[in-house]
Amino acid sequence: MSRDAGRDAPAAVRPDHEVIVVGAGFGGIGTGIALQRKGIHDFVIVDKWDRVGGTWHANTYPGVAVDIPSFIYSFSYEQRGDWSRIFAPGAELREYAEHMVDKYGLRDRLRLNTTVTGAEFDDRNSLWRLTTDGGHHLTARHVVLAIGGLERPKMPDIPGLNDFGGTLVHTAMWDHDVSLRGKRVAVIGTGATALQLIPAIVDDTEHLTVFQRTPIWVFPKNDAEVGRLGRQVLGRKGIRSALRAVGNVGTEIAMSGQVAGPAWLTEAGRKAAEIPIRRWMRSQVDDPVLREKLTPRYGLGCKRPSMSNDYLKTFNRSDVSLVTDSIERVTERGVVTADGAEHEIDVLICATGFKLWDKGAIPPFPVRGRNGKDLEKFWDEHRYQSYQGVSVPGFPNAFTITGPYGFVLGSYIWMIEATSAHLARAIAESKRRGATEIEIRQEVHDEYFRRCLQRQEKNFLFTPVCEGSNTYYIDNNGDSPFRPSTHGEMYWQNRHFNLDVYRYTTGAPAPSEVAVLSEEAS
């Protein structure tokens, strides 16, 4: 080859980093730690927020707290005994995230206030190119989407919503400058967030109106302050681990067991559990008409239940109204329901959750794999699917923390530990083999997806038991992209899968052909 020909040939590119992790919530933090444990240190974690914590940084509405006991909702390798309550408030989860970042040396790897707007696989150079809102470009051999499911707030699709003349707030974008004192306040939604919010704000409002589409199963919340003695007890690793084990087993049976256990057993268990819970719920509400409106008709477990000792009692107050007529439109002065009544309000709060499985909601920015394959389009046309919730064929060197069929109902932290261990193991093996590309084999992925769909056939979510539940457990394709599995199975399979389920391609360029791209390159 002539000197001129060599000069004209395009140079191969060495990426800025081995791995870019998108998201600095618990998913991103857990991924960083998992990578380090596999000897992978050339990575950065980017996030749109100015602090770590993800959903726990974004959600600061009154009453926000974890709804799984704190000694379970924490990393197994970083258990704490100094929580202020059994169900810690959101601020302590944010502090826990900051502590993790500092203890595990992740602070210098953070790129905060950086919103990723697109990711595209460079076929020629076997790397990912990410674009940010500042017009900058980042490159990495591998990319991990640790964005989380509670990422994009979902505003209700109600005519006239933007015409409201008062204050409009979504719980995931809480405005602490807005005072509710002496105001007529309305809350749309009665899910897990509303259960925490409503009792926390009712004393401030002049009148509180709650618009309910679907009632929710409510458990009593065995919450308490963790005093000095409690901290001493939980400070002992053996006792803390034993309590954690008991809590894990209970959560396994109550949640993942409902979708993974044998139908005859889960059906019997569900019906047996409904009786005392329904009895307790009814005992909390004085008015018999309200009592019926607040009691679900669908089965227990069809949508995520929640816990509160105050929520149902709130409706015994004369300054609280429950409205179950459907909302027809929002006006400048308030909310008009199907019965023609206009409910005049000053502040409208939307506790309407997130775009979890909505069409076009995930991923939250364009992701294009091999030959420009679009991830959103692929999922839209072929149903949500991924291997172990981590990998999708056609997207080499790309991994997710919360992919379809990866999350087992229960503690989000368990899933993070399992899927981050999976991807870190895969990336480390790719490096060991000297490969520039790693991609899940199509036949392996298809078999996993087939097994998940097969298990779903026994799932009570698709039976008349769940009619009218409006559950987010079901996506827009009519599937349930949660892994129909126990936590034990998820944990084991993500750590002990055959490494050859992935295809490794070796084609690293010679050092003389490498041109280095800086992070500031555009």
Side-chain angles (χ1 to χ4, degrees):
M1 183 171 64
S2 70
R3 179 177 299 180
D4 289 341
R7 186 179 297 126
D8 293 338
V13 174
R14 186 176 68 203
D16 299 325
H17 302 284
E18 186 71 27
V19 185
I20 291 179
V21 181
V22 184
F26 284 147
I29 293 169
T31 297
I33 295 169
L35 290 172
Q36 290 181 147
R37 288 180 166 182
K38 285 296 184 179
I40 302 166
H41 300 283
D42 181 14
F43 66 87
V44 292
I45 303 173
V46 301
D47 196 285
K48 66 181 181 180
W49 298 110
D50 59 346
R51 292 183 61 183
V52 301
T55 187
W56 294 107
H57 172 61
N59 286 267
T60 60
Y61 59 84
V64 62
V66 68
D67 61 359
I68 290 177
S70 306
F71 55 84
I72 296 177
Y73 194 86
S74 52
F75 289 94
S76 62
Y77 50 81
E78 193 60 36
Q79 299 180 39
R80 288 177 52 173
D82 60 348
W83 302 105
S84 67
R85 307 190 65 85
I86 294 176
F87 295 87
E92 290 186 32
L93 274 299
R94 293 193 291 276
E95 293 169 3
Y96 180 64
E98 297 282 0
H99 164 76
M100 295 283 290
V101 165
D102 289 329
K103 179 172 180 178
Y104 290 91
L106 300 177
R107 186 70 62 183
D108 291 341
R109 305 183 192 280
L110 296 174
R111 302 292 185 271
L112 302 178
N113 294 306
T114 303
T115 301
V116 175
T117 57
E120 185 169 0
F121 186 67
D122 181 336
D123 295 86
R124 181 186 183 280
N125 295 293
S126 300
L127 55 81
W128 281 89
R129 297 179 180 275
L130 278 65
T131 306
T132 71
D133 56 346
H136 298 295
H137 295 265
L138 304 173
T139 60
R141 181 71 66 203
H142 306 91
V143 65
V144 178
L145 302 181
I147 300 166
L150 308 182
E151 157 67 14
R152 304 178 69 180
K154 184 177 184 178
M155 295 298 288
D157 185 16
I158 301 173
L161 185 66
N162 294 326
D163 297 329
F164 179 57
T167 302
L168 178 65
V169 181
H170 190 284
T171 50
M173 298 178 287
W174 193 262
D175 186 349
H176 291 273
D177 291 331
V178 174
S179 173
L180 304 181
R181 177 69 62 181
K183 302 286 183 63
R184 298 168 299 175
V185 179
V187 175
I188 298 177
T190 51
T193 295
L195 261 67
Q196 296 179 340
L197 173 74
I198 288 169
I201 66 173
V202 65
D203 286 336
D204 284 339
T205 64
E206 175 186 307
H207 190 90
L208 181 62
T209 302
V210 179
F211 292 94
Q212 172 186 277
R213 180 178 64 170
T214 309
I216 187 173
W217 284 95
V218 184
F219 287 66
K221 190 173 186 178
N222 297 317
D223 191 16
E225 290 187 16
V226 180
R228 181 178 178 182
L229 179 60
R231 289 191 179 90
Q232 290 178 346
V233 171
L234 290 176
R236 299 185 178 184
K237 184 177 180 180
I239 295 176
R240 188 172 63 235
S241 296
L243 290 172
R244 182 183 175 94
V246 171
N248 286 345
V249 171
T251 305
E252 183 90 312
I253 294 172
M255 299 193 74
S256 60
Q258 286 289 309
V259 296
W264 64 270
L265 181 60
T266 57
E267 178 69 8
R270 180 183 58 75
K271 287 183 177 179
E274 283 182 3
I275 296 173
I277 296 170
R278 184 178 283 114
R279 184 182 298 124
W280 176 82
M281 289 181 63
R282 291 179 179 276
S283 73
Q284 303 299 295
V285 185
D286 298 335
D287 184 271
V289 175
L290 282 176
R291 190 183 303 146
E292 292 304 311
K293 290 181 177 180
L294 289 164
T295 303
R297 295 290 177 265
Y298 58 88
L300 178 66
C302 294
K303 61 192 304 181
R304 187 178 181 118
S306 195
M307 295 172 287
S308 175
N309 298 326
D310 306 314
Y311 171 72
L312 293 171
K313 290 180 179 179
T314 301
F315 293 96
N316 294 326
R317 300 174 54 138
S318 60
D319 58 351
V320 176
S321 301
L322 177 69
V323 179
T324 57
D325 292 295
S326 61
I327 296 175
E328 188 173 274
R329 68 184 185 278
V330 175
T331 67
E332 184 179 354
R333 297 187 301 174
V335 177
V336 176
T337 47
D339 60 355
E342 182 173 24
H343 307 265
E344 295 189 4
I345 54 176
D346 304 305
V347 181
L348 179 57
I349 301 173
C350 298
T352 45
F354 299 83
K355 297 177 181 179
L356 186 56
W357 302 116
D358 298 50
K359 182 177 180 180
I362 57 172
F365 50 80
V367 176
R368 295 183 174 87
R370 191 185 303 283
N371 299 319
K373 184 177 182 179
D374 184 87
L375 184 56
E376 178 191 327
K377 183 178 180 181
F378 170 72
W379 277 338
D380 184 40
E381 295 178 351
H382 301 280
R383 308 158 78 175
Y384 290 116
Q385 52 186 286
S386 66
Y387 177 68
Q388 306 264 8
V390 177
S391 303
V392 179
F395 294 85
N397 298 0
F399 306 89
T400 59
I401 285 292
T402 54
Y405 299 99
F407 179 44
V408 175
L409 297 178
S411 174
Y412 190 65
I413 303 297
W414 295 342
M415 183 270 298
I416 291 173
E417 286 196 32
T419 54
S420 62
H422 178 134
L423 66 89
R425 184 169 179 246
I427 293 173
E429 179 64 12
S430 181
K431 286 191 66 178
R432 189 189 70 80
R433 298 191 187 197
T436 54
E437 290 187 15
I438 174 174
E439 183 177 354
I440 189 65
R441 295 179 184 275
Q442 185 73 52
E443 66 274 15
V444 174
H445 164 273
D446 291 349
E447 174 59 19
Y448 176 77
F449 185 40
R450 185 195 64 78
R451 290 201 312 270
C452 287
L453 293 178
Q454 186 178 41
R455 287 187 179 185
Q456 273 192 11
E457 294 176 359
K458 304 175 183 179
N459 199 322
F460 75 100
L461 292 172
F462 302 97
T463 69
V465 170
C466 293
E467 287 183 2
S469 62
N470 294 310
T471 177
Y472 72 82
Y473 290 173
I474 306 295
D475 67 19
N476 59 295
N477 294 311
D479 297 324
S480 178
F482 293 90
R483 180 171 179 157
S485 165
T486 63
H487 284 91
E489 181 184 49
M490 173 193 67
Y491 228 69
W492 177 265
Q493 289 186 358
N494 273 293
R495 284 168 168 74
H496 301 282
F497 61 89
N498 185 335
L499 289 165
D500 286 329
V501 299
Y502 284 93
R503 177 179 293 105
Y504 306 86
T505 304
T506 303
S512 62
E513 296 179 311
V514 171
V516 179
L517 248 67
S518 68
E519 287 184 11
E520 290 77 19
S522 59

